[in-house]
Amino acid sequence: MDQILGQVLRNAVWERLDMLSDLANRADAPSLVSVARSELPRLTEGWRAMLRAHEPDERGDCPTCSTRWHRCKAPCSVWQVAHEHLVAGGLAPQQELRRRGRRHRASVPAQATRSAARDPMPQGRAAQGRHALRHLPATP
């Protein structure tokens, strides 16, 4: 049941983001102003809430991304993506950071971020609707 509820929630979020993208690309100027006034505060508060959950603790670790066996040093990938999209505008060079012998991407392309954020398709049920394609493996 949790898997189905999770899929419903994820699909609702993807649908909302798709709708906002469509509006940004197709709406006339007065409609864009109206949408911006209503949606920008909601989107910024959503970013703030997500980033608060990823604030480093007193050891400099991200408490949300860290596990009992693996500590994730700040800035975690959530902060890196936030910087890329909100500050650098997606124009920041793709640089790699080395930490403890492991490579981490300093910035993650938007499509890779969307793919990584999604869970696999629920077992025993095929994904339905226009978001069903998001569950197909990416072709090289």
Side-chain angles (χ1 to χ4, degrees):
M1 187 61 147
D2 288 341
Q3 232 178 8
I4 294 169
L5 177 59
Q7 188 63 46
V8 169
L9 294 175
R10 285 187 299 278
N11 283 346
V13 170
W14 289 122
E15 290 289 337
R16 182 69 171 190
L17 291 172
D18 288 344
M19 185 268 305
L20 291 171
S21 291
D22 289 345
L23 278 171
N25 291 325
R26 298 183 184 150
D28 58 9
S31 298
L32 282 175
V33 169
S34 175
V35 169
R37 285 190 176 133
S38 66
E39 296 299 322
L40 281 176
R42 295 176 69 206
L43 291 171
T44 56
E45 188 50 40
W47 272 103
R48 285 184 179 106
M50 182 170 43
L51 292 172
R52 276 191 296 270
H54 291 268
E55 277 290 323
D57 62 16
E58 62 280 350
R59 293 181 307 255
D61 297 332
C62 173
T64 304
C65 295
S66 295
T67 67
R68 179 183 299 185
W69 298 278
H70 172 73
R71 305 309 302 170
C72 178
K73 285 290 180 196
C76 69
S77 62
V78 171
W79 273 99
Q80 292 168 15
V81 169
H83 181 270
E84 178 186 348
H85 290 278
L86 298 173
V87 178
L91 300 177
Q94 300 278 328
Q95 35 180 282
E96 292 186 8
L97 302 175
R98 289 186 186 266
R99 292 191 190 136
R100 297 186 215 171
R102 293 182 65 190
R103 289 183 168 200
H104 296 276
R105 305 268 318 166
S107 56
V108 180
Q111 187 59 37
T113 304
R114 287 178 75 168
S115 298
R118 245 183 338 274
D119 289 345
M121 184 179 353
Q123 296 295 324
R125 250 183 91 130
Q128 300 174 359
R130 79 186 250 212
H131 288 77
L133 296 177
R134 292 205 170 121
H135 292 285
L136 297 177
T139 55

